[in-house]
Amino acid sequence: MRPTINRCAPCSLDLMLSQAASEGIVFNSLQIRLCFRSWLAGMLSVLLGLAPSASSNISTSRPNILLLMADDLGIGDIGCYGNNTMRTPNIDRLAEDGVKLTQHISAASLCTPSRAAFLTGRYPVRSGMVSSIGYRVLQWTGASGGLPTNETTFAKILKEKGYATGLIGKWHLGLNCESASDHCHHPLHHGFDHFYGMPFSLMGDCARWELSEKRVNLEQKLNFLFQVLALVALTLVAGKLTHLIPVSWTPVIWSALWAVLLLAASYFVGALIVHADCLLMRNHTITEQPMRFQKTTPLILQEVASFLKRNKHGPFLLFVSFLHVHIPLITMENFLGKSLHGLYGDNVEEMDWMVGQILDTLDMEGLTNSTLIYFTSDHGGSLENQLGHTQYGGWNGIYKGGKGMGGWEGGIRVPGIFCWPGVLPAGQVIGEPTSLMDVFPTVVQLAGGEVPQDRLKQGLSMLPRQLLGSTTQYSTPYEDAILQHCTLSLYTNSVIIVFPPEGTTWKVHFVTPVFQPEGAGACYGRKVCPCFGEKVLHHDPPLLFDLSRDPSETHVLTPASEPVFYQVMERVQQAVREHQRTLSPVPLQLDRLGNIWRPWLQPCCGPFPLCWCLREDGPQ
């Protein structure tokens, strides 16, 4: 039983960094900062009086950094964000003892682009982690697409500053480019010293669930092709035997052979997916193929503990990217049936327990007071993960929509909790917009590094610029906007913009998905809502919401109901034009050529296709 510890108890630096949380969260609009200048000035005088050396202490402290990211977790699934039926005491304690962000936004509502933006501090479109044809995530481990090697992650910068860097858990940002061993997109090529986990992503197909990402679709396509070729073969045979079709036996034999091959492929495609995508690696070595799911959670926790013990003299950066709470919701036996929300709730509560185990390790190794902890999710919960009346996806609270639904808040508003023992104030709540991309400059600044100046970044440090002595001025109009891309075109998504009067947060939708069935709040019957084509609505004028008063996006504003309607629209269009002006052509990593399975890129721990191995039982 873990003792009750105030993990982020305030000390003399507490008040000083309450401004760090507050102003860093106010989005990067010069006008907004002016609205709060008088308040900040008063706070600054108090803070400097209490801690005259605070600025130097922060900038030179180089804390250990622990980043915790859930997969597909809804913001409404956590107690500290309003859920009173799900038990998440460890995550809740982080919020009680630290800083909670209530308008924390992911850069995309799906895994691959959101994680790319998180690691680089850049919109996914800038690194090519989008598609022009509708693919929105990487589809295979054996595909050639992935996070380009010329991108700079915060791990690269911290490694250069002397940090030990590790990633444990999910990657889903590519693996190989030209051969099964070049590892061009591997975490170790993006600044991490150590990697243990899934190079791809946990999927329902890994356990052959009826909720399938690609197995069912592939089986249907293969069966259809088999039926076509079988019909062709039978027609040719009948024509040959009746002398109605003058044809040799060669096309008959070939069409029959292809029909048999397609039938066999449809039968074995499920096993192929399990072996191709559901594997564990340590650095460049495959350790389990396929994975033993009953062992995965203990192995990940052992790996985390091993990393922390090896690097406890620091400084270190550890990114724990949970496989929870993505389907198939692999859950250990002692958590099954314990929650009030079925298997999904069991999985959430197990993840919270994992958070507690990791925090326990920090305590035991004496690392708690020197470690900045951050918890989030890559995007919102998946509403379409439903079978019958059973929900296997997350709950997004009061927010509309969910995973994959473009810019609706339910898909992009995520938990954001920072805890730095003895430094960040306990119980602080920040309501101004922030982004997952803001983590990049925040951790780089804490580590004493510098954000690269050779490329455009979107994130802003969440530390107080005044206290750290920065005099940076922001004048370009797009810098007070958070833009949401669904595909290559911005106009398939939304813009969030903050500006006066009174620091209002506005939300504009150019395109929204058509929910199915009519009146539903999701695209039931599909894996994910589309963001282009016939199943979306184009809005002219765009939909406008005031998130400050209407976070659920239920009341569309019009020129008749909103006096500053045209002012907001002009500001949004200005931000969009400026953003598009700064875009440079880059290879699209998620287009078809980079996103199809290539056998020669498939990681395999035996002679292909006999990819099976079990090489270890614990961390090394």
Side-chain angles (χ1 to χ4, degrees), residues 54-76:
S55 177
S56 59
N57 287 346
I58 300 167
S59 60
T60 61
S61 59
R62 289 167 53 86
N64 303 312
I65 298 171
L66 174 62
L67 308 175
L68 307 173
M69 177 177 282
D71 191 6
D72 286 20
L73 179 71
I75 192 171

Side-chain angles (χ1 to χ4, degrees), residues 69 71 107-108 110-125 127-130 136-156 167 169-177 182-192 195 197-202 277 281 319 321 323 378-379 436 440 587-590 594-595 601:
M69 177 177 282
D71 191 6
L110 284 168
C111 305
T112 298
S114 172
R115 291 165 180 268
F118 173 70
L119 286 168
T120 63
R122 286 156 54 84
Y123 287 125
V125 68
S127 57
M129 299 301 281
V130 294
R136 297 159 66 187
V137 297
L138 283 173
Q139 301 290 320
W140 297 89
T141 307
S144 64
L147 188 63
T149 55
N150 63 350
E151 285 295 323
T152 300
T153 67
F154 53 68
K156 280 185 180 179
L167 168 61
K170 171 177 174 173
W171 176 238
H172 206 184
L173 292 173
L175 193 61
N176 301 312
C177 291
D182 65 31
H183 299 131
C184 66
H185 301 305
H186 193 282
L188 268 60
H189 281 206
H190 283 290
F192 292 100
F195 170 66
M198 291 190 74
F200 191 60
S201 172
L202 193 60
D277 291 332
M281 297 184 74
F319 178 20
S321 178
L323 305 182
D378 55 357
H379 49 71
L436 288 185
F440 180 103
L588 300 184
Q589 301 294 320
L590 305 186
N595 216 355
L601 298 183

Side-chain angles (χ1 to χ4, degrees), residues 573-594:
Q573 295 290 352
Q574 187 182 14
V576 170
R577 287 193 299 269
E578 186 65 23
H579 170 75
Q580 292 179 324
R581 184 187 64 80
T582 63
L583 291 179
S584 301
V586 293
L588 300 184
Q589 301 294 320
L590 305 186
D591 264 1
R592 182 171 286 111
L593 289 179

Side-chain angles (χ1 to χ4, degrees), residues 5 25 50 95 109 128 180 188 346 358 379 389 504 532 538 560 582:
I5 299 174
I25 301 307
L50 290 175
S109 59
L188 268 60
D346 298 343
I358 294 170
H379 49 71
H389 297 292
T504 304
F532 72 103
H538 294 262
T582 63

Side-chain angles (χ1 to χ4, degrees), residues 243-505:
H243 305 289
L244 295 176
I245 303 177
V247 65
S248 68
W249 285 106
T250 300
V252 175
I253 294 171
W254 276 109
S255 58
L257 284 174
W258 275 108
V260 171
L261 287 173
L262 286 168
L263 181 63
S266 68
Y267 182 79
F268 288 110
V269 69
L272 168 65
I273 292 172
V274 170
H275 284 75
D277 291 332
C278 310
L279 56 99
L280 288 176
M281 297 184 74
R282 167 171 284 104
N283 297 326
H284 292 147
T285 302
I286 298 172
T287 60
E288 289 187 20
Q289 191 173 18
M291 295 163 60
R292 303 169 300 160
F293 293 119
Q294 71 279 9
K295 298 287 187 180
T296 302
T297 293
L299 285 174
I300 286 177
L301 286 176
Q302 289 179 40
E303 197 72 27
V304 171
S306 177
F307 180 92
L308 294 176
K309 291 176 182 177
R310 289 197 312 272
N311 298 287
K312 64 182 179 180
H313 298 298
F316 64 78
L317 163 74
L318 177 58
F319 178 20
V320 180
S321 178
F322 293 105
L323 305 182
H324 296 60
V325 290
H326 199 289
I327 60 171
L329 301 172
I330 303 301
T331 307
M332 295 188 298
E333 186 175 351
N334 54 330
F335 284 94
L336 290 175
K338 299 298 177 63
S339 78
L340 299 177
H341 296 278
L343 184 58
Y344 179 82
D346 298 343
N347 202 243
V348 171
E349 293 186 3
E350 180 180 84
M351 182 190 65
D352 179 81
W353 170 80
M354 293 177 71
V355 171
Q357 295 297 300
I358 294 170
L359 298 180
D360 280 350
T361 302
L362 287 179
D363 288 339
M364 289 186 292
E365 299 301 327
L367 296 169
T368 299
N369 292 330
S370 58
T371 303
L372 171 73
I373 305 164
Y374 168 72
F375 178 86
T376 192
S377 178
D378 55 357
H379 49 71
S382 175
L383 303 183
E384 287 86 6
N385 281 344
Q386 186 180 83
L387 280 177
H389 297 292
T390 303
Q391 179 67 28
Y392 294 104
W395 181 51
N396 299 312
I398 65 171
Y399 305 109
K400 186 173 185 176
K403 175 182 178 180
M405 296 187 197
W408 288 120
E409 285 294 294
I412 60 173
R413 193 175 292 220
V414 294
I417 302 171
F418 281 94
C419 184
W420 187 357
V423 178
L424 293 182
Q428 180 87 353
V429 178
I430 302 296
E432 285 72 33
T434 55
S435 167
L436 288 185
M437 295 182 290
D438 295 339
V439 174
F440 180 103
T442 301
V443 300
V444 167
Q445 186 177 14
L446 284 169
E450 294 184 1
V451 174
Q453 300 301 308
D454 62 341
R455 63 199 65 201
L456 191 59
K457 301 284 182 181
Q458 273 68 52
L460 285 178
S461 174
M462 287 180 273
L463 294 177
R465 287 182 289 276
Q466 291 88 346
L467 288 178
L468 295 176
S470 170
T471 58
T472 302
Q473 297 295 312
Y474 300 95
S475 58
T476 54
Y478 66 88
E479 285 185 331
D480 57 353
I482 303 176
L483 287 72
Q484 291 287 320
H485 289 262
C486 183
T487 60
L488 182 62
S489 171
L490 173 73
Y491 285 96
T492 57
N493 224 298
S494 312
V495 177
I496 301 172
I497 193 160
V498 185
F499 69 94
E502 299 177 358
T504 304
T505 303

